[in-house]
């Protein structure tokens, strides 16, 4: 079942961009453009996480955070304000993370994943086409049959699945799979992508993005 995320953001354009990126990543989303509407959504719906802008009309983000905290729903503050006092206030009220706008979609998705994992809400099984991946067992199957993947191939597959329809650079793959301390060539990514394409028969699904990297798509 897809995780449900509430976006409480008064800037409709920003809210729509966040919603689009979350939907592409496989999350279900709901929007609220003021604090009171956000509070109604929190009380009425089963939510896995709230993205909460601090400066919203009706009921500001800090006041709404006080209403959300007793419900045990994780919250990530989104705000254009970068004052240290605002960050401290939000975190003291119970927020799980704090991001200052503008931010990259890939960073937001990574923060969401980290918070959901902390709450035990992360998906343990990922699926795409005929491929299923068990994160707990570190196993992948193709049409029900096990696929023999190296540890790095498995990690690369997980990154692709968690960022479906998002173009990632070779440097981003290196950072996520091999770690920030890796100093090898980006060609390592190309070789592992080639192997995944062959083992999963994904020649049509792992797209090469010119001068950027790769993207998994239907």
């Amino acid at each position: 079942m897809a995780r449900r995320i509430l976006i409480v953001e008064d800037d409709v354009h920003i809210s729509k961009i966040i919603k689009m990126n979350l939907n592409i990543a496989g999350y279900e989303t709901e929007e609220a453009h003021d604090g009171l509407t956000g509070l109604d959504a929190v009380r009425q719906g089963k939510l896995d996480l709230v993205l909460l802008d601090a400066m919203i009309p009706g009921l500001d983000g800090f006041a709404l955070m006080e209403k959300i905290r007793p419900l045990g729903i994780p919250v990530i503050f989104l705000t254009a304000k970068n004052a240290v006092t605002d960050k401290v206030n939000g975190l003291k009220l119970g927020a799980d993370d704090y991001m200052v706008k503008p931010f990259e979609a890939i960073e937001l998705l990574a923060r969401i994943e980290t918070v959901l994992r902390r709450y035990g809400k992360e998906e343990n099984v990922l699926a795409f086409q005929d491929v299923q991946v068990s994160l707990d067992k570190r196993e992948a199957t193709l049409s029900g049959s096990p696929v023999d993947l190296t540890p790095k191939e498995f990690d690369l597959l997980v990154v692709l699945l968690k960022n479906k329809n998002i173009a990632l650079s070779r440097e981003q793959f290196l950072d996520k799979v091999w770690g920030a301390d890796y100093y090898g060539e980006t060609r390592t990514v190309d070789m592992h992508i080639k192997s995944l394409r062959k083992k999963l028969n994904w020649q049509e699904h792992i797209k090469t993005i010119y001068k950027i990297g790769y993207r998994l798509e239907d």
Side-chain angles (χ1 to χ4, degrees):
M1 181 182 297
R3 301 311 185 196
R4 294 190 65 227
I5 297 177
L6 172 65
I7 306 163
V8 187
E9 165 64 66
D10 64 327
D11 187 315
V12 177
H13 177 66
I14 293 176
S15 181
K16 295 299 182 187
I17 291 176
I18 294 173
K19 177 182 177 68
M20 177 187 68
N21 282 290
L22 294 184
N23 290 159
I24 288 174
Y27 294 104
E28 292 184 0
T29 54
E30 186 174 347
E31 294 177 273
H33 303 304
D34 63 78
L36 293 176
T37 304
L39 180 58
D40 287 341
V42 168
R43 287 173 171 171
Q44 294 177 14
K46 180 175 174 55
L47 300 170
D48 293 291
L49 185 138
V50 177
L51 299 177
L52 179 58
D53 184 19
M55 305 306 294
I56 49 177
L59 188 69
D60 69 33
F62 299 112
L64 181 54
M65 179 68 236
E66 292 183 330
K67 305 288 187 182
I68 296 174
R69 182 172 54 187
L71 303 177
I73 303 171
V75 174
I76 297 178
F77 264 105
L78 307 179
T79 179
K81 300 181 68 175
N82 57 8
V84 173
T85 52
D86 290 325
K87 294 182 181 180
V88 172
N89 190 21
L91 294 172
K92 279 187 174 181
L93 287 172
D96 295 272
D97 206 344
Y98 195 113
M99 296 188 67
V100 178
K101 296 179 286 188
F103 46 79
E104 296 292 334
I106 189 171
E107 180 185 3
L108 175 60
L109 292 172
R111 299 283 189 99
I112 290 172
E113 180 182 320
T114 298
V115 172
L116 291 178
R117 186 185 306 117
R118 190 183 307 151
Y119 276 75
K121 294 176 176 285
E122 186 187 33
E123 292 283 5
N124 292 319
V125 176
L126 302 174
F128 178 80
Q129 298 292 325
D130 294 331
V131 172
Q132 282 201 338
V133 172
S134 169
L135 299 179
D136 293 335
K137 298 179 180 179
R138 287 186 63 85
E139 293 178 350
T141 60
L142 174 61
S143 299
S145 299
V147 182
D148 185 19
L149 300 177
T150 68
K152 292 303 183 187
E153 288 172 351
F154 181 88
D155 293 339
L156 183 60
L157 173 58
V158 171
V159 171
L160 286 166
L161 290 170
K162 288 185 175 181
N163 295 276
K164 187 176 65 175
N165 295 321
I166 297 176
L168 299 180
S169 69
R170 291 171 175 83
E171 290 75 17
Q172 287 173 314
F173 282 115
L174 285 175
D175 183 57
K176 289 177 174 293
V177 176
W178 282 266
D181 297 331
Y182 179 79
Y183 293 105
E185 298 181 357
T186 56
R187 180 164 174 76
T188 299
V189 177
D190 299 332
M191 292 173 14
H192 281 74
I193 288 289
K194 181 179 179 180
S195 180
L196 275 182
R197 281 173 169 159
K198 183 177 180 180
K199 290 182 178 182
L200 301 175
N201 193 27
W202 274 5
Q203 287 81 4
E204 299 298 322
H205 296 302
I206 302 179
K207 303 290 186 180
T208 300
I209 310 302
Y210 182 62
K211 290 187 177 180
I212 298 178
Y214 299 96
R215 179 176 63 224
L216 177 66
E217 60 183 56
D218 294 318

